[in-house]
Each structure stands twice: as structure tokens, then as C-alpha cells.
Amino acid sequence: MRTAVAQLLRRPMTLFGAIIVALFLLAAVFGPMIAPYPYDMLIRGAARLPPSADYLFGTDQIGRDVFSRVLWGARDIITLPLLTTALSVLFGTSIGLFIGYYGGWIDEIVSRILDALLAIPALALALVMLRAVGPSPFGIVAVIVVLYTPIVARVVRAAALSLRGSGYIEAAKLRGEAVRYILFREILPGVLPALVVEAALRFSYAIFLTASLGFLGFGVQPPSPDWGRMVNEARTAFSQVPWALWFPAGAIILLIVGVNLLSDGLRRVFRYEGQLL
Amino acid sequence: MLRFLTRRLALLALTLFLTSILVFASTQILPGDVARLILGREAQDQALQDLREELGLNQPLPVQYTAWLTGFVSGDWGRAFTGGRPPIRPLVMERLGRSMQLALVTLILTVPLSVTLGVIAGLRENTWIDSVINILTLAVVGLPEFVTGLVLINVFALGLGWFPTGAALSSDAPLGEALRQMILPATAAGFVMMAYIVRMTRAGVIDEMKKTYVRTAILKGLSRRQVIVRHVLRNALLPTVTVIALSIGWLIGGLIVIENVFNYPGLGRLMTAAVEDKDIPLMQATVMVVVFFFALANLAADVVYALLNPRIRLE
């Protein structure tokens, strides 16, 4: 693992991506502390001001500081996808290891259900389910976890399946190890490279989906600053406050490019391509 | 092959069945009274009661679900709740047609270009041109369509004035004008897909170039050009066909957002509007149709893959 990290950091583009992601993580943690204004504060007489020393990213059409809103917004766009990724990886790995190890009819049934769920476009289902449970941070995480768990499960299942027949697993069985030990101590380490790449991809697509839901108005609800929603709101007033669109949109672009550079490095170091969805 | 196809068709049916349950269940926990939603705040109790009776809202859920499902399967999709209660099927079909036009333009714009770029990057592995293509694809893969869409609008519509900002034209507009309006949305929708096809094509070409028959052909005295055109591309591009079919599924998801950015009157926009307005039957119908086409694209990808890999076909 340590050599993998060293290999990663030796690639300049990966290092660049890691720095970008680290900066956004810092913004998510400390952003609210260094933001000059609260995200929902209407600054008197300061509507529609272009970027300046006082308002680094300018102010929006009703006089809120765009820089502060982007900083505050970093928290949701990073923590929600992180949480989503962690939970999908946890559930997906457990399901995938289990059905990959046991095989047989359990695998047959669960795999078919997973395949069927995978054939549903994420955004379409997310919209309908979020409308039902209400657009709360909890709802967003729950819905995306439901959509991403099958993807992780399928990747882990395939990897576990290929390890099942190998000698050291047979040896562990003959030693009389508990199933849990075999799954998590013997099989999981072999699955890890694929899992790390998959987790990075899930994180990237979870940001994608969270931002898109925000843009369509199904994300974190106002007055909380959501980058996707900020872009959508600024769109209608673009000719007056173009900066209110450019900065949150630029933040989304920069964050996703950073995550992609990092996950491309992981793909190359672990030699695993991952999948689109 | 027949057995494989039957299996895949059964999976398609299972997908649609699961979707119908998920969608139906979701619409049932939506807050608010449907009858009041349709008739408005001042409706009389008697009128509300009658409407509930007409829509079957008083019946138990399994009965409602079965009634809805049998109606849907037999082509009776009912009427929408909002917007003057139009019959759903013609409306969905018209919007579906518009979405398909946009999807077609997207495919024509992106597929040939991305395959070419992928082949170039693969043949020139680890040169500067490969690095440039690699970084460009990394930059756009995973960018939300609304961001790319807005960037394109600002640069090419508002900035340079080459294209219109929206695409809300009537269906009888002349072809040239319709195409001009579809260029920007199609480009935005194609970006992510393009990056993916480029990367997969590149990987395919690199794999193929390493095989021993390539060395044999070169040692036999064929020029590099002949080897590439006659042997390598033919083999390397086969998996790309699967990738293209898969990305059509991705495209269907992307159109939901793109159509909203550009006000394009397609199925995705109809769906988001139905979700916003809590128009339950319209929501159910649009989601089912979107899922059907997404699953169909996946099925096509699997079938193509099986045709190319006899091992899977015979399993």
C-alpha cells in the first residue's frame, strides 16, 4: 500500500489532482471559518457587484457574497458524495463478497436483481425517489447509495469469484477458518485494488449526480448554498451577474477534474479500468 | 444464442418490473391529496369524492398497482393530471421522437470523432499527442452536462452568436434551422460519452498492437500502415461497438439535464416537469419509457458483445 502511494505521488498529473482535491477538502472543513460572510447574509446595498478586493467572487443578484457561498457550499458537495461512496462501498463489498464466495442459487438470484437495478438510469430514478422522500441531505445520500451499491457489488463479486478457487482460500477453509475471516481477511485484500479504483470513480460520479440534482432543484434546499442550484439561479440573471455563474461552475469543474486526475492515477497504478455509469 | 437472448429479454422484463414497483411505491408516498391537486383548493367535497372514485384512489394499493400495470402494458396510459389533462401516450411519443432526434445528432457528432481520436492516441501511445488527448478526456469525463452546456451557451451563443441559446423550436421548423439549434445541446450531451469512447478505443488499439500476429505481419514484410488498416483496426474496433451501445444508455441519462438547460422539448424535460408538478401518471409513464430505452441500450451492448465473443454466447 505504501509503495502504491509513492508510485501515485511520483506521477505529476496525479499529484496535481491530489493537491486540488486536498484544497477542496480543506475548504470543506475550514471554509465556514474563513468565509467573510454567512452564506445567506444579504449585504445592504451590495447587490450585483463585480469581483473586487471586498467581494472576491462578486455578489449575486440579491446581494449575497459569492465567495462565501462557494466556500460554505464546498461542505455539502464533498461530504454528501464521500458519505455516499463510503456507504455504497460498505454495502456493495459485503453483498459482493458474500454472493461471490457462496455462488450457487443465492448468487444467481441476487445477481439478477443487481443486474436489473443496474439497468435503470440513475438520474431518472433519483428524481422520482427524491420527490417522494423529500430533497434533504439524508434523502440524497440514501437514494444515491441505493443506486451505487449494485455497481460496487458487481465489481467485488467478479473479483471474489476469480479468487474463490485459489489455493490459499482452500487452505483457509481446510484450517477451519470462519466464513467471516475468509471473506474479510483472505478475499478482501485481493479485491482491494479494484475496490479502490471503483471507490474513486463512485466518488467522482456521486459529485456529478449531486451537482446535477442540485441544478434541477432537487438538491440541498435553500437557503443552504448548493453549487448546482447556485449555477441554476445565476443562469436567469446571467447578463447582470455572470460571475455568480462562473465561480460555482468553475468550482465544480475544478473539483471533478481533480478527482478524475487522482482516479486516473489509481487506475494506472492498480491496473484496473473501472466502468462507466 | 437463442438461450442467451431469452435470458437477456427476461432480465429486461425484470428491470421494467422492478422499476414499475419502485416508481409506483415512490409516487404513493408523495405528500398531498391527488384529487385536490387536480381540482384545486376550492373544490367541493362531492367533486373530490367523484374524482377519487374515477381514478380508483379509494382502492387498496395492490389493486391500484395491478390496474395501472395492466393498463400500461395494454397501451392505455391514461391522462395527465396537469396541463389540461392531455392523453399521455401521444404526448410521450411526440416528446420521445424529439429526444431521439437530439440523440441521433449527438451520436453523429461524437462517435466518428471520438473513435478517430482514440485510434490516434492508441497508435501513438506515450507520445505528446497521446498525452494531450488523455488530459483532454480526463478533463471532460464526469463533468456535469449542465456545466458544459452553460459554458457552450456562454461562449458560442451569447459570446460569438453562432448558435441560438435555446432549442425550443416547433416541430415543423426547416431542417437546417432545427440542426443549428441542436448543435450546442448535442455537443454538451456528447462530451462525457466522447471521453469514454476515446479512452476505451485507445485501450483496445494498444492491446491489439501488442499481439504476436502484428509482429508476424510486420516481419512478413507488410508495411505498418497495411497492418494497422487491414488487421489491427478490424479487431480493435469490435469492442468499441459495445462501448458505443453502452454510452447510448449514458446519453439517455444526460439528455434529462441537457433538455432542461436548453429548454429542448424532449422526454427528459417532460419527465422533470412531471416530477416537479407531482403529475403521477405522467411521471410513471415517462420514467418507464426512459428506463425501457436505457435497458434496451444495455441489452444491445450485451448482444453485440456476445456476437463478438462466442464463449459468452454458448454459456
Side-chain angles (χ1 to χ4, degrees):
Chain A
M1 206 65 203
R2 193 170 297 162
T3 51
V5 173
Q7 261 181 301
L8 275 175
L9 296 183
R10 231 177 289 135
R11 308 175 52 84
M13 293 315 282
T14 313
L15 184 65
F16 184 53
I19 293 173
I20 296 177
V21 174
L23 284 178
F24 277 100
L25 284 176
L26 287 178
V29 177
F30 299 110
M33 279 169 239
I34 50 176
Y37 301 94
Y39 56 83
D40 55 350
M41 187 174 134
L42 304 176
I43 304 159
R44 193 180 289 268
R48 296 183 287 279
L49 291 179
S52 65
D54 289 337
Y55 310 104
L56 279 181
F57 293 176
T59 59
D60 67 7
Q61 57 272 38
I62 57 173
R64 293 173 298 190
D65 180 39
V66 176
F67 179 61
S68 303
R69 286 176 63 74
V70 169
L71 273 181
W72 279 91
R75 193 162 268 192
D76 280 340
I77 198 77
I78 299 217
T79 48
L80 296 185
L82 265 185
L83 196 59
T84 320
T85 309
L87 290 175
S88 330
V89 166
L90 182 72
F91 296 146
T93 307
S94 309
I95 298 175
L97 282 179
F98 191 77
I99 59 175
Y101 176 73
Y102 276 111
W105 63 270
I106 301 181
D107 175 40
E108 190 65 24
I109 292 175
V110 178
S111 289
R112 289 297 83 76
I113 295 177
L114 292 179
D115 282 349
L117 283 175
L118 276 173
I120 301 176
L123 191 61
L125 202 62
L127 283 179
V128 176
M129 285 164 73
L130 269 182
R131 190 71 169 104
V133 299
S136 62
F138 171 78
I140 296 170
V141 170
V143 166
I144 306 183
V145 167
V146 170
L147 294 168
Y148 282 175
T149 299
I151 302 179
V152 180
R154 199 169 63 163
V155 171
V156 174
R157 172 188 170 271
L161 211 56
S162 67
L163 292 176
R164 194 168 61 151
S166 54
Y168 68 99
I169 304 290
E170 284 302 320
K173 269 195 219 164
L174 290 175
R175 283 205 308 273
E177 300 285 5
V179 171
R180 213 173 59 187
Y181 178 89
I182 297 179
L183 288 185
F184 289 95
R185 286 295 177 78
E186 304 277 5
I187 298 185
L188 187 60
V191 177
L192 214 53
L195 198 56
V196 171
V197 173
E198 198 50 49
L201 281 177
R202 281 313 107 216
F203 183 52
S204 162
Y205 285 120
I207 297 174
F208 178 102
L209 204 53
T210 311
S212 296
L213 285 171
F215 175 79
L216 291 175
F218 292 87
V220 184
Q221 290 304 290
S224 289
D226 174 292
W227 290 355
R229 180 183 286 271
M230 283 169 75
V231 169
N232 193 23
E233 281 169 0
R235 186 163 68 119
T236 48
F238 178 76
S239 53
Q240 298 153 1
V241 284
W243 46 85
L245 188 149
W246 286 123
F247 285 104
I252 294 173
I253 295 179
L254 197 61
L255 174 61
I256 287 183
V257 169
V259 175
N260 283 346
L261 288 176
L262 198 57
S263 69
D264 185 56
L266 290 171
R267 259 199 298 253
R268 282 162 192 243
V269 169
F270 290 117
R271 297 175 197 291
Y272 173 77
E273 193 46 49
Q275 49 198 319
L276 173 99
L277 256 169
Chain B
M1 190 67 201
L2 192 67
R3 204 167 149 237
F4 172 80
L5 263 182
T6 336
R7 258 175 88 96
R8 287 303 281 108
L9 283 174
L11 183 66
L12 180 73
L14 178 65
T15 301
L16 291 173
F17 179 65
L18 281 180
T19 312
S20 73
I21 290 183
L22 281 172
V23 172
F24 194 82
S26 301
T27 51
Q28 290 312 308
I29 47 177
L30 279 179
D33 174 15
V34 170
R36 199 167 283 282
L37 179 78
I38 301 173
L39 295 179
R41 216 172 278 267
E42 282 93 42
Q44 303 288 322
D45 279 349
Q46 189 53 46
L48 289 172
Q49 227 13 280
D50 290 347
L51 187 65
R52 284 194 199 111
E53 200 64 45
E54 183 205 322
L55 297 172
L57 294 174
N58 295 330
Q59 283 166 343
L61 279 186
V63 177
Q64 282 190 44
Y65 174 71
T66 326
W68 170 69
L69 192 64
T70 44
F72 193 81
V73 172
S74 60
D76 172 20
W77 295 7
R79 285 167 174 277
F81 283 172
T82 51
R85 305 204 64 197
I88 291 175
R89 210 152 76 110
L91 179 64
V92 168
M93 289 305 161
E94 196 241 321
R95 297 302 192 89
L96 176 67
R98 302 297 293 272
S99 286
M100 286 197 159
Q101 286 171 11
L102 185 54
L104 190 67
V105 174
T106 310
L107 289 175
I108 293 172
L109 276 180
T110 52
V111 171
L113 181 63
S114 36
V115 170
T116 314
L117 285 177
V119 170
I120 293 175
L123 291 177
R124 306 236 186 287
E125 192 192 356
N126 294 332
T127 61
W128 66 270
I129 192 159
D130 179 32
S131 311
V132 170
I133 293 176
N134 184 39
I135 290 174
L136 282 181
T137 55
L138 271 184
V140 295
V141 77
L143 276 193
E145 289 90 354
F146 71 90
V147 175
T148 28
L150 288 171
V151 171
L152 288 175
I153 287 181
N154 285 316
V155 174
F156 294 102
L158 296 174
L160 298 167
W162 292 353
F163 301 101
T165 53
L169 77 174
S170 62
S171 49
D172 52 358
L175 185 67
E177 185 52 30
L179 279 178
R180 212 168 77 90
Q181 298 210 358
M182 279 195 267
I183 297 275
L184 284 189
T187 313
F191 255 159
V192 173
M193 202 174 120
M194 219 172 123
Y196 186 62
I197 299 178
V198 170
R199 298 183 73 83
M200 297 306 274
T201 311
R202 174 183 179 273
V205 170
I206 290 174
D207 272 358
E208 211 57 39
M209 287 298 280
K210 285 193 183 126
K211 294 204 173 145
T212 44
Y213 77 85
V214 175
R215 201 174 50 194
T216 312
I218 290 176
L219 290 177
K220 202 175 74 176
L222 290 180
S223 69
R224 189 177 140 88
R225 194 192 161 78
Q226 274 176 310
V227 177
I228 289 169
V229 175
R230 290 233 187 113
H231 301 283
V232 174
L233 286 189
R234 194 178 285 182
N235 288 322
L237 292 186
L238 286 179
T240 310
V241 179
T242 317
V243 173
I244 293 170
L246 270 181
S247 10
I248 293 175
W250 175 267
L251 177 62
I252 293 170
L255 284 186
I256 299 175
V257 176
I258 286 293
E259 291 178 357
N260 276 288
V261 173
F262 287 89
N263 274 326
Y264 185 84
L267 188 63
R269 217 174 113 65
L270 186 67
M271 193 187 100
T272 34
V275 174
E276 264 160 34
D277 300 343
K278 284 197 225 167
D279 192 328
I280 293 173
L282 192 58
M283 214 156 125
Q284 288 163 336
T286 46
V287 175
M288 288 302 284
V289 172
V290 167
V291 171
F292 175 72
F293 278 94
F294 186 85
L296 203 62
N298 282 358
L299 176 83
D302 277 5
V303 170
V304 172
Y305 191 68
L307 284 174
L308 304 177
N309 292 275
R311 268 175 303 175
I312 292 186
R313 205 187 323 163
L314 295 174
E315 219 173 55

